[in-house]
Amino acid sequence: MVRRRFATVLLAIAALVGVQLVGAVPAHAATRTLYYDASQAQEFVAVVNQAATLWNGKVSNVRLVPVTAGRTPNIRVYADNGWPRTYTTSLGNGRWYMGREAVNDGYYQLRIATHEFGHILGLPDRRTGLCSDLMSGSSAPVSCTNANPSAAEAAQVQRNFASGVTAEVQEVLFVG
């Protein structure tokens, strides 16, 4: 009985002075939900939703979810007649445009949408010219239909959201 009281008092004192008696387990980054509004994406709403689903299948610590009533979206998606482009305000926040000019030139719509979401997720253009690199953008051939982020691109998004790194405000063009 005395030992139990002594142990309880000792633990209480240790807690008061901030002594950690049990080793900590590394914390895993909680899944961050990013809400997107594709209501202004016009004829591209379905492809925007496909791109979000594609990213959700490749990364685990961030989820792209259509915005629900009463919630402010992190991401707004628009359609216009220019080139696809993204304006980020911080990691996971901003707006992007599904530009019809690239679509009319023959670029694959799902690749464009997935690429632009990639910018919101903190990925820059890489312009490698390789179809296997989602972030190579329009430097890959028009015939490229790969809309999947590479393992390295998905891993970078995982790192971006695990560490809480914020992306600098940038304007990114699909063709640049």
Side-chain angles (χ1 to χ4, degrees):
M1 186 70 151
V2 173
R3 281 187 193 167
R4 187 173 290 166
R5 280 190 198 166
F6 181 72
T8 303
V9 170
L10 201 60
L11 287 172
I13 292 170
L16 286 173
V17 295
V19 174
Q20 185 174 354
L21 300 176
V22 179
V25 175
H28 294 285
T31 300
R32 182 169 166 200
T33 301
L34 301 177
Y35 294 94
Y36 67 91
D37 178 0
S39 65
Q40 301 291 315
Q42 300 174 26
E43 71 269 27
F44 303 112
V45 171
V47 79
V48 170
N49 291 333
Q50 282 181 286
T53 299
L54 202 153
W55 271 111
N56 289 342
K58 297 293 182 179
V59 295
S60 61
N61 60 0
V62 63
R63 285 281 162 258
L64 297 166
V65 176
V67 70
T68 54
R71 181 175 290 279
T72 301
N74 302 88
I75 306 158
R76 294 185 188 274
V77 183
Y78 302 94
D80 71 5
N81 292 327
W83 277 98
R85 61 203 177 279
T86 297
Y87 302 94
T88 59
T89 54
S90 63
L91 183 63
N93 297 286
R95 68 188 188 281
W96 63 267
Y97 291 80
M98 187 71 184
R100 291 183 188 95
E101 190 171 340
V103 172
N104 293 340
D105 283 353
Y107 287 97
Y108 184 51
Q109 292 178 22
L110 184 55
R111 180 176 171 84
I112 295 168
T114 309
H115 174 96
E116 297 306 328
F117 266 132
H119 289 308
I120 294 289
L121 299 174
L123 299 177
D125 281 319
R126 292 282 183 221
R127 293 185 186 80
T128 63
L130 300 174
C131 185
S132 59
D133 294 337
L134 176 66
M135 299 313 292
S136 67
S138 66
S139 72
V142 172
S143 61
C144 177
T145 59
N146 173 40
N148 291 294
S150 69
E153 291 164 333
Q156 182 61 55
V157 169
Q158 290 285 107
R159 285 190 299 275
N160 290 350
F161 283 86
S163 65
V165 173
T166 55
E168 63 187 55
V169 176
Q170 58 182 329
E171 174 182 340
V172 185
L173 300 177
F174 183 74
V175 296

